[in-house]
Amino acid sequence: MQRVEVTRPVVVQHSAGLPGANGPLTAVQRVLASHLAEEYEFVRMHQSAGNGSLNVPLLREWVRLLRRVRPDLVHVRGLQNEGFHGVLAARLAGCPRILVTVHGTVRDLRGPGRLWRRRLLVRGAEPATLRLASHVGTVCEYAARRDFLRDLGGKFVGVIPNGVPLPEDPREARQRTRAELGLDPDDVVMIAVSRLTWEKGYGVLAEALRRLPPSTVRRPQPSTVRRVLLVAGDGPDRAGIAAALAAAGDVEVRLLGNRLDVPDLLAAADLFVFPTLHENLSNALLEAMAYGLPVVASAVGGNVEVLRSGGGRLVPAGDPQALAGALSPLLDDPAERRHMGELARKVVAESYSLDVMLGALDGVYQRILGE
């Protein structure tokens, strides 16, 4: 009997950005390291820097790559200029199946910037990316309900949620990292992990910290427990955010920059704070919950659906008084933090684990490839 060789489908994984500072890139890295790499032949199509405008040399490079590997599917992550380049290269190379997953949109940006460029992306690149795609998915239910995604017709393949691994026992990492940071065992440590832009609500957080009432918890010796805020990430507004947080009342603030040891920092923390002004589905939020951290987050986007089963408190976006009011009791109540953190980990285990994400992604790939 003649042996028939079975070949794996070739799937191109598009991504952009630098490690440790990009949720979609983190998702790609997790997919490449997963069991799906045994079912699909993955090919990377990555760019580290963004595109200021149409990047013709990059397009030529990607078209050559795609024509050489002849993929069965190209998975493009993101709508912005980088995603547009990925989809356009796939079309120019004649790829029949192009999946675009929506991780955010320029429509939501509120800060200062080049308004003309933002309009060009909103009216040009983002709609063109959706038109050129053969299939479109989102990372959360909130994104799937957005107005600009209503007319996709049969292109929409559903929600593929972000997923994160569940740490087995972070206690050793907690003790080691707190020692490295010079933190006492009874210090109460908040952590924020994100790109340093005003869009992430750092101005609101700075004002909320100033409004916190004094701690009611005492050390064994006659002094109050120290409150510390760790901020992991970097970005264009770092200087202004640093200045705003420098006057954060009696909270000690440490800006740590981009870190590749975020899991260890999460293990060392007691509370995750996420005052972002807009969001789809944040990997940083899910990772914090996987480490059993209670969450105080703004009630925007995917934050609402993640926390609807427990694990945190939601506050109106842009409201420092509400943020301070949610933080204050948790800072003083370790039992409530522990209870809420256990719920947070349970939510991730049931709905946002790495296995859940990989299962959803595999299902979408199989559906598209079978059409």
Side-chain angles (χ1 to χ4, degrees), residues 18 70 86 131 138 175 213 223-224 240 313 315-316 326 333 342 352:
L18 297 173
R70 299 175 64 187
R131 284 196 303 270
T138 62
Q175 295 171 357
S223 63
T224 57
R313 293 177 177 170
V315 298
D333 191 343
E342 290 170 355
Y352 300 101

Side-chain angles (χ1 to χ4, degrees), residues 18-244:
L18 297 173
N22 185 300
L25 175 56
T26 299
V28 169
Q29 292 168 331
R30 287 172 176 159
V31 170
L32 295 175
S34 75
H35 65 84
L36 293 186
E38 300 174 2
E39 301 178 29
Y40 303 95
E41 187 73 37
F42 288 135
V43 177
R44 294 294 303 277
M45 193 168 77
H46 178 75
Q47 65 177 110
S48 297
N51 299 306
S53 58
L54 190 66
N55 190 331
V56 175
L58 179 67
L59 278 173
R60 288 173 175 164
E61 175 188 339
W62 281 357
V63 169
R64 286 195 297 269
L65 168 69
L66 293 169
R67 285 176 175 168
R68 185 175 73 249
V69 302
R70 299 175 64 187
D72 298 284
L73 172 64
V74 179
H75 183 176
V76 175
R77 287 175 168 83
L79 279 184
Q80 299 185 20
N81 205 357
E82 292 75 27
F84 172 68
H85 278 69
V87 171
L88 182 57
R91 279 297 180 194
L92 292 173
C95 301
R97 304 178 189 90
I98 307 167
L99 168 65
V100 169
T101 45
V102 178
H103 298 259
T105 170
V106 177
R107 290 166 175 78
D108 293 332
L109 298 182
R110 305 181 185 182
R114 299 177 180 175
L115 293 179
W116 64 267
R117 186 176 187 273
R118 195 177 303 173
R119 292 193 187 102
L120 185 62
L121 289 171
V122 169
R123 298 174 183 175
E126 291 194 351
T129 301
L130 295 171
R131 284 196 303 270
L132 292 171
S134 62
H135 300 81
V136 177
T138 62
V139 294
C140 61
E141 298 166 11
Y142 161 76
R145 297 191 299 267
R146 299 291 297 269
D147 290 345
F148 70 96
L149 295 179
R150 280 184 178 173
D151 299 326
L152 294 175
K155 287 186 178 184
F156 185 63
V157 295
V159 175
I160 309 169
N162 292 337
V164 298
L166 287 161
E168 293 184 3
D169 187 355
R171 284 177 294 183
E172 186 276 330
R174 177 181 176 84
Q175 295 171 357
R176 171 175 45 79
T177 306
R178 285 178 79 102
E180 291 171 354
L181 293 170
L183 298 169
D184 293 337
D186 53 355
D187 288 338
V188 181
V189 180
M190 297 174 279
I191 186 169
V193 181
S194 75
R195 193 161 180 259
L196 292 191
T197 70
W198 296 115
E199 304 280 338
K200 295 299 182 180
Y202 282 104
V204 181
L205 177 58
E207 180 60 30
L209 296 181
R210 286 191 285 273
R211 298 186 184 196
L212 285 175
S215 173
T216 60
V217 181
R218 299 282 172 176
R219 296 181 188 272
Q221 62 271 31
S223 63
T224 57
V225 167
R226 181 170 55 161
R227 294 169 171 177
V228 179
L229 171 66
L230 306 177
V231 180
D234 207 344
D237 299 327
R238 178 188 174 102
I241 289 170

